[in-house]
C-alpha cells in the first residue's frame, strides 16, 4: 500500500459493474478473472518485462519497507507462512499445518521440510523466530511489518520444523498478516552478514525468484530460482516459475508505460490511468485487468493537534468545502468512485451505512467559518486575530495515480471558502521526518490489506508518529474511547462484536472529520497478449509466479 503518509502503501477480481472504483460503460471490457485457462508451463524461459508506476525505495527488505511497488517486487522473492485466497480462506505455504489456542494468543506452525533460502541455508523454525524478532528490534526501524505483528510477545522454537508465535493479547488477525510479503521469512545468514543496508539492496528469501540486480530509481532484476518447489497450496501452478526472470523498471508516467506496452518494449504495465486505459481497452494486442482493492481508501487525514484544526467545526467546514465527485470526474473522467469510509468496500467489516453521510456544502462551510470568527479578507482568504486560516498538506513525488492533481483541485476548492492550502510534495521517506515532528496540517494515505486492523494503525494513539518513531496515525488522533474500540475490535474473537467496534471507529473519524475519504482506487494492470497464467492475491496485486510467455 497505499501507506505511511506520503509514502503511500499497498488484491480479487470482480465484475466491472460490481467493482468499486471502476465504472462500467467504457469502450471495452477489462478482464474480470485470473488468466488460468492453461495450467503449468506450456512454455518456459524468457524475461517478463514490467513497468512499475513509481520509484522504489532502494531498501527492499520486507521487514522494513512500507511501499506498494516494493511489495509487488518482493512478493516473488519471499514466501509466507500461509496463503490467503480471494475468499479469505487460508491454505498451507511454508507452514504445512498450524494450530491456534482458544484465546488467539498463540499460533503453532509446522514447517514444510526441505525448504531452503536462495543462499542455500535452511528455512527452519529458527529463521521464522529470527524474522519476527528482527522486525520488533528498534535497530530494524520497520516502517510497517512491525504493525502487522501487532501485540507480538516473542516466538518459541519447538524443534527444527515447529515454531510457536505468541502475542500479549488476542490477535485473531495474525493469519491474514502472516500471509503478506511484509512478514515474508528472511535468511538469517544473509541478514546478519550483510547488515540492514546490504540486505535491503539484495534481500534473500526462499521465493521462486532471486534479486540479482537492484539499481536505485531505475530497475530491479529477478532471476528464476530453479530449485523452487514449495509454492502455495492455493495456487494451480507448482514447481519452479515458468519465466526465466522478471525485470521491473520504474516508469512514473502512465502514458509512457502504456506507450511502451503497445510498442512491445515491455510485457506488462502497472497502474494504468485514464485516459490511458482507454487506449488499452481498444488495442487488440493488449489485455487489461481491473482489480478492486481492499484495505484503506485513499483519504486525507487532518492533524487534530495542529491549531486551528483542533477545532472539529473547522475540520467539518474544510470537508464540506470539497466537491469530491467533481474532482473525480475532472481527474479520472469518472472512472474512480467516491470513498465514504476509511475502509474500502471489499474489506472485512466495511460500514456501508456511511455511504452518502455527507455532501459538498460550500455555503454551510462558509457559515461555519464565519460563525467561528474567521472573516474573509481582500486577499480571498479568511483571517482572525492576525492569523490567516491556512493548512499545510504533505504530498508525495513523483506523482502517483494523479494524486498531485487531486491536491491542486482541493486547494482551489478550499480557496473558494477562504482556506489557504500550502502543498509540499516530498520525495521518498522525507515526509516521515515531517510527520514525526508533527509540522503539517494534512496528509494523504491509502493501504492495501484484507483486514480492518488497518484502522488500528491509522487511529490508535499508540501509532502517533514522534521523533525517531514512525507511526501511521497521521491524524494524531488521541481519543481514549476510540482507542478502546480499536483494542477491543483487534482482540475480539466474536465477529459480531468486532464489527460493531470497527463500525464505531469508521463512523467516528468521518463524523468528526478526522479522516476525509476521497476515492476508491482500483489496481489497473495491462499486459500484452503473450502474457498468460496471471493471477491475483487477496489484496488485489498480481502474482507473477505462474506467468508464462507465449512464443
Amino acid at each position: 500500500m497505499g501507506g505511511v503518509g506520503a509514502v503511500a502503501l499497498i488484491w480479487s477480481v470482480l465484475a466491472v459493474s460490481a467493482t468499486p472504483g471502476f465504472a462500467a460503460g467504457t469502450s471495452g471490457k477489462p478482464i474480470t478473472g485470473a488468466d488460468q485457462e492453461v495450467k503449468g508451463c506450456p512454455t518456459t524461459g524468457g524475461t517478463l518485462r514490467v513497468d512499475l508506476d513509481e520509484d522504489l525505495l532502494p531498501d527492499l527488505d520486507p521487514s522494513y519497507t512500507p511501499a506498494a511497488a516494493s511489495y509487488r517486487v518482493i512478493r516473488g522473492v519471499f514466501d509466507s507462512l500461509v496463503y490467503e485466497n480471494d475468499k479469505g480462506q487460508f491454505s498451507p505455504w511454508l507452514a504445512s499445518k498450524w494450530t491456534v489456542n482458544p484465546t488467539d494468543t498463540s499460533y503453532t506452525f509446522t514447517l514444510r521440510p526441505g525448504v531452503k533460502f536462495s543462499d542455500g541455508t535452511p528455512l527452519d523454525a529458527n529463521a521464522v523466530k529470527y524474522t519476527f524478532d528482527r522486525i520488533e528490534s528498534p535497530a530494524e526501524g520497520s516502517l510497517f511489518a512491525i504493525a502487522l505483528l501487532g501485540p507480538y510477545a516473542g516466538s518459541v522454537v519447538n524443534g527444527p520444523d515447529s515454531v510457536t508465535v505468541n502475542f500479549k493479547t488476542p490477535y485473531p488477525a495474525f493469519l491474514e498478516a502472516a500471509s503478506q510479503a511484509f512478514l515474508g521469512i528472511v535468511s538469517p545468514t544473509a541478514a546478519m552478514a550483510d547488515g540492514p543496508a546490504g540486505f535491503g539492496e539484495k534481500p534473500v528469501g526462499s521465493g521462486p525468484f532471486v534479486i540479482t540486480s537492484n539499481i536505485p530509481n531505475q530497475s530491479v532484476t529477478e532471476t528464476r530460482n530453479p530449485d523452487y518447489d514449495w509454492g502455495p497450496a492455493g495456487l494451480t501452478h507448482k514447481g519452479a516459475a515458468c519465466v526465466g526472470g522478471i525485470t521491473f523498471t520504474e516508469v512514473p508516467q502512465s502514458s509512457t508505460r502504456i506507450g511502451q506496452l503497445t510498442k512491445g518494449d515491455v510485457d506488462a504495465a502497472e497502474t494504468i490511468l485514464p485516459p490511458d486505459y482507454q487506449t488499452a481497452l481498444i488495442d487488440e494486442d493488449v489485455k487489461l485487468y481491473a482489480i478492486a482493492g481492499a484495505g484503506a481508501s485513499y483519504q486525507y487525514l487532518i492533524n487534530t493537534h495542529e491549531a486551528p484544526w483542533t477545532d472539529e467545526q473547522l475540520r467539518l467546514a474544510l470537508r464540506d468545502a470539497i466537491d469530491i465527485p467533481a474532482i473525480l470526474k475532472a481527474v479520472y473522467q469518472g472512472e474512480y468512485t467516491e470513498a465514504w469510509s476509511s475502509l474500502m468496500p471489499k474489506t472485512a467489516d466495511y460500514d456501508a451505512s456511511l455511504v452518502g453521510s455527507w455532501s459538498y456544502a460550500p455555503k454551510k462551510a462558509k457559515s461555519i467559518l464565519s460563525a467561528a470568527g474567521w472573516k474573509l479578507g481582500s486577499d480571498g482568504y479568511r483571517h482572525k486575530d492576525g492569523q490567516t486560516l491556512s493548512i499545510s498538506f504533505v504530498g508525495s513525488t513523483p506523482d502517483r495515480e494523479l494524486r498531485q492533481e487531486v491536491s491542486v483541485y482541493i486547494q482551489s476548492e478550499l480557496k473558494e471558502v477562504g482556506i489557504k492550502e500550502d502543498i509540499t510534495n516530498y520525495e521518498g521517506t522525507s515526509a516521515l521526518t515531517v510527520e514525526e515532528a508533527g509540522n503539517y496540517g494534512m496528509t494523504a494515505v491509502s493501504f492495501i490489506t484484507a483486514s480492518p486492523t488497518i484502522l488500528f494503525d491509522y487511529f490508535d494513539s499508540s501509532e502517533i508518529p514522534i521523533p525517531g518513531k514512525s507511526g501511521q496515525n497521521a491524524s494524531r488522533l488521541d481519543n481514549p474511547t476510540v482507542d478502546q474500540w480499536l483494542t477491543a475490535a483487534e482482540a475480539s474473537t466474536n465477529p459480531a462484536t468486532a464489527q460493531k467496534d470497527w463500525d464505531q471507529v469508521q463512523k467516528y473519524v468521518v463524523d468528526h472529520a478526522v479522516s476525509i475519504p476521497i476515492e476508491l482506487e482500483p489496481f489497473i494492470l495491462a499486459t500484452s497478449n503473450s502474457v498468460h497464467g496471471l493471477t491475483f492475491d487477496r489484496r488485489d496485486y498480481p502474482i507473477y509466479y505462474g506467468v508464462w510467455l507465449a512464443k
Side-chain angles (χ1 to χ4, degrees), residues 185-241:
I185 308 304
V186 307
S187 164
T189 301
M192 288 187 285
D194 297 339
F199 187 78
E201 180 182 353
K202 289 186 180 179
V204 177
S206 63
F209 296 98
V210 179
I211 293 177
T212 52
S213 173
N214 178 6
I215 304 174
N217 305 122
Q218 185 174 330
S219 65
V220 174
T221 300
E222 298 178 358
T223 302
R224 175 174 54 197
N225 177 358
D227 299 324
Y228 190 79
D229 194 25
W230 43 83
L235 294 180
T236 58
H237 183 66
K238 306 298 178 185

Side-chain angles (χ1 to χ4, degrees), residues 433-458:
T433 303
V434 177
E435 290 179 7
E436 289 173 6
N439 299 327
Y440 61 94
M442 231 173 10
T443 190
V445 295
S446 68
F447 197 83
I448 298 299
T449 182
S451 172
T453 56
I454 188 64
L455 293 173
F456 185 96
D457 303 321
Y458 277 3

